């Protein structure tokens, strides 16, 4: 198990794409099983037993899990009963627990990742490349993934993975390669290295901490959600409650963290607050005004900032230049528009400001969003949202897939705005981030808020247990506001 670490834009994903035949190198050699190879396409790499799971998943939303896995590999077992049996056999062997008939669009991010890993194993990969495999997982899921990876290793497979979570890298890797600005700067053995040393090798600075010491919470409510209900029809045609009597208040200057395993209603809660889904019951109040059924644009203009969970699907137009992406979601607001017309000159100038202020590494604002590394895309989104001085920021996994330097910057931006009275709804799979940044912590399970935790005393392990439905030591299981007894 070999880990590759480095800051955003260091060249990690580019190197992996070369190994997977997606990009041609200008020079140098690749040797597989002692034989020098050259890959013209991913098909060549797959034929050599190399499989890759990308940071941003490559799945077709409108197809089922089974169809996604078989797609492009129909020659192996066809598309019928034999293929289904083979998929279930691989799934069981590695404990991946996939459901073959569910549509991919109905899956949470953790489930999508398991589908991607299964897709690669189904094709007979012997070398697995994983780009940020744990970015979206909670500790229990990370442990399960690493158990799966150790199983693969025991069966003679090679795992090459990119990660920003240095503690995890040190706990699971056999070897670590550090790259900076496209060059290998160090090769280290985990047993002889600390996270601090690794961070310094990566970015030349210490590992940041999300810890927030001073409280800035006021008595003024900014967002109140009361008895919120939302139903959805699952793939089997059964109507079930995805939000079941959710109630909470976020005050000015307060960060409310919501912990939960992916797929327990966090995404639907965000969409209900953003106006992307219309709730069946309950009220949402922003700064004293009822916005329960207001359109999304109105909510944006009223002061809601949004860092989405999936930056590619909901945060950016990948083929558009950076200045166009700066306008997204804020079309009717200054500096993007004057009256009823867009002000492109002002939008461009403001994009230059965001790039400088938020340290977005880019050759210029005319390049496409797709040409930026994941962490730089994230910095652009955070910069865009903070530029409109929101009253409420909904931050879903704000530092997913960003390096330690960018992580520290984003945390500082959130803390700074919080000092000035910003209310923040924080949803994250990084429990250290949740505990470190939050003033108040709630646990979400199966569409309900089931427990409260004190960020000052709770441990990531206790929080993780509560998220999977087990009780935690410091956690109070109490009556949910707007819901029944838990």
């Amino acid at each position: 198990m070999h880990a590759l670490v480095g800051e955003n834009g260091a060249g990690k994903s580019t190197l992996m794409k070369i190994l997977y035949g997606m990009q041609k190198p200008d020079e140098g050699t690749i040797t597989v099983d002692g034989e020098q190879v050259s890959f013209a396409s991913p098909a060549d790499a797959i034929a050599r037993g190399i499989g890759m799971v990308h940071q941003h998943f490559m799945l077709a939303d409108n197809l089922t899990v089974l169809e996604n896995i078989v797609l492009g590999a129909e020659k192996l077992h066809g598309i019928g009963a034999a293929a289904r049996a083979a998929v279930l056999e691989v799934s069981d062997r590695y404990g991946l627990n996939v459901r073959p008939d569910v549509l991919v669009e109905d899956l949470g991010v953790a489930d999508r990742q398991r589908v991607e890993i299964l897709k690669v194993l189904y094709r007979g990969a012997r070398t697995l490349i994983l780009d940020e495999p744990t970015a979206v997982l909670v500790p229990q899921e990370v442990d399960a993934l690493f158990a799966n990876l150790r199983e693969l290793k025991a069966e003679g497979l090679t795992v090459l993975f990119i990660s920003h979570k240095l503690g995890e890298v040190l706990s699971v890797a056999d070897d670590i390669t550090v790259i900076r600005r496209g060059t290998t700067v160090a090769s280290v053995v985990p047993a002889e290295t600390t996270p601090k040393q690794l961070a310094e090798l990566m970015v030349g600075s210490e590992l940041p901490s999300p810890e927030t010491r001073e409280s800035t919470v006021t008595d003024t409510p900014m967002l109140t959600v009361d008895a919120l209900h939302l139903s959805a029809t699952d793939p089997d045609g059964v109507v079930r409650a995805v939000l079941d009597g959710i109630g909470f208040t976020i005050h000015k200057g307060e960060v409310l963290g919501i912990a939960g395993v992916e797929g327990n209603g966090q995404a639907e809660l965000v969409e209900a607050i953003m106006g992307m889904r219309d709730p069946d019951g309950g009220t949402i109040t922003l700064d004293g005004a009822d916005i329960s059924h207001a359109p999304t644009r109105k909510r944006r203009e009223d002061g809601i900032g949004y860092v989405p969970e999936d930056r590619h699907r909901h945060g950016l137009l990948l083929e558009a230049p950076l200045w166009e992406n700066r306008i997204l979601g804020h079309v009717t607001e200054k500096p993007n528009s004057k009256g009823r017309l867009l002000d492109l000159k002002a939008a461009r100038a403001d994009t230059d400001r965001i790039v400088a202020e938020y340290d977005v590494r880019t050759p210029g604002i005319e390049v496409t969003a797709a040409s930026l590394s994941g962490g730089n895309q994230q910095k652009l989104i955070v910069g865009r949202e903070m530029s409109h001085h929101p009253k409420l920021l909904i931050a879903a996994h704000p530092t997913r897939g960003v390096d330690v330097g960018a992580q520290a910057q984003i945390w500082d931006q959130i803390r700074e705005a919080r000092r000035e009275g910003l209310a923040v709804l924080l949803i994250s799979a990084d429990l250290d981030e949740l505990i470190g940044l939050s003033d108040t912590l709630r646990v979400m399970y199966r569409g309900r808020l089931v427990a409260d935790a004190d960020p000052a005393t709770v441990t990531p392990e206790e929080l993780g247990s509560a998220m999977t439905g087990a009780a935690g030591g410091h956690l109070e299981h109490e009556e949910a506001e707007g819901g029944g007894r838990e």
Side-chain angles (χ1 to χ4, degrees):
M1 235 190 267
H2 194 110
L4 190 66
V5 299
E7 62 181 330
N8 294 122
K12 304 182 299 293
S13 295
T14 305
L15 176 58
M16 294 302 114
K17 284 176 180 169
I18 290 172
L19 295 185
Y20 191 52
M22 292 172 75
Q23 244 168 291
K24 295 265 313 166
D26 298 328
E27 55 186 63
T29 60
I30 299 169
T31 309
V32 178
D33 285 332
E35 192 182 328
Q36 198 170 311
V37 293
S38 170
F39 299 144
S41 71
D44 293 350
I46 291 167
R48 283 280 182 173
I50 295 174
M52 180 162 177
V53 176
H54 299 267
Q55 182 180 350
H56 294 282
F57 304 144
M58 307 282 184
L59 297 171
D61 279 3
N62 57 337
L63 299 181
T64 66
V65 167
L66 178 65
E67 289 164 344
N68 266 284
I69 292 168
V70 171
L71 189 64
E74 296 85 354
K75 287 179 183 168
L76 292 177
H77 304 285
I79 57 172
R84 170 184 289 270
V87 165
L88 290 172
E89 192 271 321
V90 178
S91 173
D92 291 344
R93 191 187 329 155
Y94 298 113
L96 293 169
N97 302 324
V98 300
R99 296 167 293 165
D101 300 314
V102 177
L103 279 179
V104 164
E105 68 184 2
D106 294 328
L107 293 180
V109 192
D111 286 333
R112 285 169 194 248
Q113 189 190 53
R114 282 194 279 274
V115 173
E116 284 278 21
I117 291 174
L118 183 54
K119 195 167 86 174
V120 168
L121 295 173
Y122 180 78
R123 285 158 173 70
R126 304 295 300 159
T127 300
L128 219 64
I129 300 172
L130 303 178
D131 193 351
E132 290 290 342
T134 63
V136 297
L137 307 179
V138 302
Q140 280 78 354
E141 292 174 319
V142 171
D143 292 344
L145 172 69
F146 284 162
N148 290 341
L149 295 183
R150 286 189 187 101
E151 218 165 287
L152 298 176
K153 191 173 91 164
E155 296 202 11
L157 274 73
T158 301
V159 180
L160 188 56
F161 74 99
I162 296 172
S163 179
H164 288 116
K165 297 187 177 178
L166 305 188
E168 289 176 1
V169 167
L170 291 169
S171 72
V172 78
D174 299 308
D175 289 291
I176 302 169
T177 297
V178 184
I179 69 173
R180 196 189 304 161
R181 310 220 163 178
T183 306
T184 299
V185 291
S187 294
V188 296
V189 179
E192 299 161 11
T193 316
T194 66
K196 187 168 178 271
Q197 290 167 328
L198 207 48
E200 285 171 359
L201 284 170
M202 276 170 60
V203 292
S205 62
E206 278 192 43
L207 200 59
S209 157
E211 205 164 303
T212 304
R213 292 202 159 69
E214 82 291 3
S215 173
T216 56
V217 183
T218 65
D219 296 334
T220 316
M222 180 49 75
L223 178 75
T224 305
V225 172
D226 185 43
L228 198 65
H229 278 270
L230 179 70
S231 300
T233 307
D234 68 17
D236 304 323
V238 179
V239 177
R240 59 186 181 84
V242 284
L243 297 177
D244 189 0
I246 295 283
F248 58 81
T249 297
I250 310 178
H251 301 85
K252 284 186 177 180
E254 178 180 20
V255 177
L256 170 68
I258 293 200
V261 177
E262 207 92 26
N264 276 278
Q266 306 93 308
E268 289 81 3
L269 173 63
V270 167
E271 288 172 4
I273 296 171
M274 283 303 299
M276 293 146 76
R277 289 185 184 234
D278 201 32
D280 310 326
T283 54
I284 302 169
T285 311
L286 178 71
D287 204 9
D290 186 340
I291 59 163
S292 310
H293 304 288
T296 298
R297 178 182 287 179
K298 172 86 172 80
R299 299 182 198 213
R300 287 294 223 163
E301 291 168 348
D302 288 349
I304 298 185
Y306 179 38
V307 178
E309 169 182 351
D310 187 329
R311 52 182 167 252
H312 284 188
R313 293 169 89 201
H314 297 136
L316 297 166
L317 291 172
L318 290 174
E319 298 310 316
L322 301 192
W323 63 267
E324 274 187 37
N325 276 285
R326 188 265 166 270
I327 296 173
L328 284 187
H330 301 279
V331 178
T332 58
E333 299 164 57
K334 286 182 175 174
N336 300 328
S337 61
K338 260 192 209 158
R340 299 178 66 81
L341 295 175
L342 287 175
D343 186 344
L344 301 188
K345 188 178 170 196
R348 276 195 169 92
D350 201 59
T351 310
D352 278 324
R353 178 192 63 78
I354 291 173
V355 164
E357 240 174 72
Y358 288 80
D359 189 30
V360 180
R361 310 268 172 94
T362 172
I365 63 167
E366 298 295 335
V367 302
T368 63
S371 66
L372 265 53
S373 71
N376 284 305
Q377 291 173 350
Q378 192 73 356
K379 286 192 274 189
L380 180 72
I381 292 171
V382 171
R384 172 181 74 200
E385 297 307 315
M386 298 306 256
S387 295
H388 291 276
H389 306 293
K391 297 174 178 177
L392 169 73
L393 177 68
I394 298 174
H397 310 280
T399 60
R400 173 177 287 173
V402 306
D403 66 53
V404 287
Q407 208 173 32
Q409 277 176 303
I410 291 170
W411 287 338
D412 284 343
Q413 306 287 357
I414 291 175
R415 278 192 284 249
E416 185 57 41
R418 167 181 167 271
R419 266 196 288 277
E420 290 168 18
L422 175 72
V424 182
L425 176 65
L426 174 67
I427 291 169
S428 179
D430 181 338
L431 300 192
D432 289 322
E433 173 173 80
L434 266 183
I435 292 168
L437 284 183
S438 301
D439 297 294
T440 315
L441 264 177
R442 310 290 295 270
V443 178
M444 197 164 184
Y445 183 65
R446 294 190 179 167
R448 294 174 159 207
L449 294 176
V450 295
D452 292 355
D454 180 355
T457 55
V458 74
T459 66
E461 291 70 28
E462 287 166 341
L463 203 50
S465 309
M467 288 159 63
T468 53
H474 284 287
L475 281 83
E476 300 165 35
H477 290 254
E478 51 182 62
E479 271 187 54
E481 298 168 44
R485 181 84 195 160
E486 296 303 342

